[in-house]
PDB file of all heavy atoms in Angstrom:
ATOM      1  N   LEU B 131     -25.591   8.447   3.710  1.00  0.00           N
ATOM      2  CA  LEU B 131     -24.232   8.064   3.321  1.00  0.00           C
ATOM      3  C   LEU B 131     -23.789   6.934   4.243  1.00  0.00           C
ATOM      4  O   LEU B 131     -23.232   7.164   5.305  1.00  0.00           O
ATOM      5  CB  LEU B 131     -23.299   9.267   3.461  1.00  0.00           C
ATOM      6  CG  LEU B 131     -23.470  10.351   2.410  1.00  0.00           C
ATOM      7  CD1 LEU B 131     -22.798  11.633   2.857  1.00  0.00           C
ATOM      8  CD2 LEU B 131     -22.897   9.891   1.073  1.00  0.00           C
ATOM      9  N   TYR B 132     -24.096   5.722   3.825  1.00  0.00           N
ATOM     10  CA  TYR B 132     -23.729   4.569   4.647  1.00  0.00           C
ATOM     11  C   TYR B 132     -22.256   4.239   4.492  1.00  0.00           C
ATOM     12  O   TYR B 132     -21.666   4.454   3.425  1.00  0.00           O
ATOM     13  CB  TYR B 132     -24.520   3.335   4.220  1.00  0.00           C
ATOM     14  CG  TYR B 132     -26.002   3.410   4.489  1.00  0.00           C
ATOM     15  CD1 TYR B 132     -26.907   3.258   3.449  1.00  0.00           C
ATOM     16  CD2 TYR B 132     -26.473   3.610   5.779  1.00  0.00           C
ATOM     17  CE1 TYR B 132     -28.274   3.311   3.688  1.00  0.00           C
ATOM     18  CE2 TYR B 132     -27.844   3.668   6.022  1.00  0.00           C
ATOM     19  CZ  TYR B 132     -28.738   3.531   4.976  1.00  0.00           C
ATOM     20  OH  TYR B 132     -30.073   3.579   5.214  1.00  0.00           O
ATOM     21  N   LEU B 133     -21.685   3.686   5.558  1.00  0.00           N
ATOM     22  CA  LEU B 133     -20.376   3.039   5.463  1.00  0.00           C
ATOM     23  C   LEU B 133     -20.566   1.651   6.070  1.00  0.00           C
ATOM     24  O   LEU B 133     -20.218   1.390   7.229  1.00  0.00           O
ATOM     25  CB  LEU B 133     -19.316   3.853   6.212  1.00  0.00           C
ATOM     26  CG  LEU B 133     -18.920   5.174   5.546  1.00  0.00           C
ATOM     27  CD1 LEU B 133     -18.047   6.023   6.466  1.00  0.00           C
ATOM     28  CD2 LEU B 133     -18.183   4.925   4.216  1.00  0.00           C
ATOM     29  N   SER B 134     -21.187   0.770   5.284  1.00  0.00           N
ATOM     30  CA  SER B 134     -21.568  -0.543   5.820  1.00  0.00           C
ATOM     31  C   SER B 134     -20.348  -1.400   6.060  1.00  0.00           C
ATOM     32  O   SER B 134     -19.477  -1.502   5.202  1.00  0.00           O
ATOM     33  CB  SER B 134     -22.482  -1.270   4.826  1.00  0.00           C
ATOM     34  OG  SER B 134     -23.491  -0.404   4.398  1.00  0.00           O
ATOM     35  N   PRO B 135     -20.306  -2.040   7.227  1.00  0.00           N
ATOM     36  CA  PRO B 135     -19.159  -2.889   7.535  1.00  0.00           C
ATOM     37  C   PRO B 135     -19.165  -4.169   6.702  1.00  0.00           C
ATOM     38  O   PRO B 135     -20.218  -4.647   6.306  1.00  0.00           O
ATOM     39  CB  PRO B 135     -19.351  -3.213   9.018  1.00  0.00           C
ATOM     40  CG  PRO B 135     -20.814  -3.043   9.269  1.00  0.00           C
ATOM     41  CD  PRO B 135     -21.287  -1.976   8.317  1.00  0.00           C
ATOM     42  N   ARG B 136     -17.987  -4.671   6.439  1.00  0.00           N
ATOM     43  CA  ARG B 136     -17.867  -5.974   5.774  1.00  0.00           C
ATOM     44  C   ARG B 136     -18.079  -7.044   6.838  1.00  0.00           C
ATOM     45  O   ARG B 136     -17.374  -7.074   7.839  1.00  0.00           O
ATOM     46  CB  ARG B 136     -16.482  -6.098   5.148  1.00  0.00           C
ATOM     47  CG  ARG B 136     -16.282  -7.305   4.240  1.00  0.00           C
ATOM     48  CD  ARG B 136     -14.892  -7.253   3.598  1.00  0.00           C
ATOM     49  NE  ARG B 136     -13.847  -7.122   4.591  1.00  0.00           N
ATOM     50  CZ  ARG B 136     -13.342  -8.146   5.270  1.00  0.00           C
ATOM     51  NH1 ARG B 136     -13.743  -9.372   5.033  1.00  0.00           N
ATOM     52  NH2 ARG B 136     -12.408  -7.938   6.175  1.00  0.00           N
ATOM     53  N   ILE B 137     -19.056  -7.876   6.655  1.00  0.00           N
ATOM     54  CA  ILE B 137     -19.392  -8.886   7.658  1.00  0.00           C
ATOM     55  C   ILE B 137     -19.303 -10.265   7.023  1.00  0.00           C
ATOM     56  O   ILE B 137     -20.035 -10.571   6.093  1.00  0.00           O
ATOM     57  CB  ILE B 137     -20.821  -8.650   8.206  1.00  0.00           C
ATOM     58  CG1 ILE B 137     -20.939  -7.225   8.770  1.00  0.00           C
ATOM     59  CG2 ILE B 137     -21.160  -9.678   9.276  1.00  0.00           C
ATOM     60  CD1 ILE B 137     -22.308  -6.887   9.317  1.00  0.00           C
ATOM     61  N   GLY B 138     -18.397 -11.081   7.515  1.00  0.00           N
ATOM     62  CA  GLY B 138     -18.233 -12.437   6.993  1.00  0.00           C
ATOM     63  C   GLY B 138     -19.334 -13.340   7.517  1.00  0.00           C
ATOM     64  O   GLY B 138     -20.101 -12.954   8.409  1.00  0.00           O
ATOM     65  N   PRO B 139     -19.435 -14.566   6.973  1.00  0.00           N
ATOM     66  CA  PRO B 139     -20.535 -15.463   7.342  1.00  0.00           C
ATOM     67  C   PRO B 139     -20.581 -15.798   8.835  1.00  0.00           C
ATOM     68  O   PRO B 139     -21.673 -15.864   9.418  1.00  0.00           O
ATOM     69  CB  PRO B 139     -20.288 -16.722   6.496  1.00  0.00           C
ATOM     70  CG  PRO B 139     -19.047 -16.492   5.715  1.00  0.00           C
ATOM     71  CD  PRO B 139     -18.589 -15.099   5.915  1.00  0.00           C
ATOM     72  N   THR B 140     -19.426 -15.986   9.470  1.00  0.00           N
ATOM     73  CA  THR B 140     -19.435 -16.367  10.886  1.00  0.00           C
ATOM     74  C   THR B 140     -19.967 -15.225  11.739  1.00  0.00           C
ATOM     75  O   THR B 140     -20.848 -15.402  12.586  1.00  0.00           O
ATOM     76  CB  THR B 140     -18.009 -16.736  11.339  1.00  0.00           C
ATOM     77  OG1 THR B 140     -17.479 -17.683  10.417  1.00  0.00           O
ATOM     78  CG2 THR B 140     -18.011 -17.328  12.731  1.00  0.00           C
ATOM     79  N   LEU B 141     -19.438 -14.037  11.491  1.00  0.00           N
ATOM     80  CA  LEU B 141     -19.877 -12.860  12.227  1.00  0.00           C
ATOM     81  C   LEU B 141     -21.367 -12.614  11.988  1.00  0.00           C
ATOM     82  O   LEU B 141     -22.126 -12.304  12.907  1.00  0.00           O
ATOM     83  CB  LEU B 141     -19.034 -11.657  11.769  1.00  0.00           C
ATOM     84  CG  LEU B 141     -19.053 -10.387  12.603  1.00  0.00           C
ATOM     85  CD1 LEU B 141     -18.726 -10.676  14.054  1.00  0.00           C
ATOM     86  CD2 LEU B 141     -18.049  -9.385  12.050  1.00  0.00           C
ATOM     87  N   GLN B 142     -21.809 -12.793  10.747  1.00  0.00           N
ATOM     88  CA  GLN B 142     -23.216 -12.572  10.428  1.00  0.00           C
ATOM     89  C   GLN B 142     -24.094 -13.559  11.196  1.00  0.00           C
ATOM     90  O   GLN B 142     -25.124 -13.188  11.755  1.00  0.00           O
ATOM     91  CB  GLN B 142     -23.455 -12.720   8.914  1.00  0.00           C
ATOM     92  CG  GLN B 142     -24.874 -12.393   8.481  1.00  0.00           C
ATOM     93  CD  GLN B 142     -25.247 -10.947   8.824  1.00  0.00           C
ATOM     94  OE1 GLN B 142     -24.562 -10.008   8.417  1.00  0.00           O
ATOM     95  NE2 GLN B 142     -26.312 -10.765   9.612  1.00  0.00           N
TER      96      GLN B 142
END
Side-chain angles (χ1 to χ4, degrees):
Chain B
L131 287 164
Y132 293 123
L133 289 170
S134 312
R136 189 176 54 82
I137 304 179
T140 309
L141 194 53
Q142 185 60 56

